[in-house]
Amino acid sequence: KYPHPSCFISERAKLGIITSRLHGFGRICTRRNDFIERARMFLQEFEARGYSVSHMWGYVLRFLRKVPLAFPVTSPSSLARELLRREVP
């Protein structure tokens, strides 16, 4: 579904998928909780595939700082932490 971290495409292209998916979620989700649920599920799947959370952090934070969403984002860094937080079963 997503390129493996060891494939021979650039890091920027591989991690650009994050920005693309967040744009999609931002367009279809008008409520904060819906956006968080979908984005968190995607980011956990992306991390499980072998991608570094620290690299993902930069792309998520940059997206949240630059792209206006349908709900107010007062602190992009706290929302990024919420999106990348691991769920404990």
Side-chain angles (χ1 to χ4, degrees):
K1 193 170 174 179
Y2 305 113
H4 193 273
S6 65
C7 73
F8 294 108
I9 61 174
S10 72
E11 285 296 310
R12 191 173 187 164
K14 288 186 272 191
L15 291 169
I17 294 168
I18 295 170
T19 305
S20 173
R21 295 294 290 169
L22 292 178
H23 270 288
F25 297 144
R27 280 192 305 273
I28 63 171
C29 299
T30 57
R31 295 186 310 187
R32 179 184 172 97
N33 289 339
D34 293 338
F35 177 81
I36 290 172
E37 180 183 334
R38 285 176 173 82
R40 186 181 287 161
M41 192 174 0
F42 160 71
L43 292 168
Q44 287 173 350
E45 183 180 332
F46 211 63
E47 180 185 1
R49 183 86 176 172
Y51 286 89
S52 163
V53 174
S54 61
H55 287 119
M56 291 167 47
W57 167 264
Y59 280 79
V60 171
L61 190 57
R62 191 175 309 121
F63 171 83
L64 295 173
R65 284 182 177 155
K66 291 185 175 186
V67 177
L69 296 170
F71 51 87
V73 177
T74 55
S75 173
S77 58
S78 67
L79 181 55
R81 271 192 298 280
E82 192 172 349
L83 293 176
L84 291 168
R85 184 180 71 217
R86 292 185 183 97
E87 292 294 315
V88 178

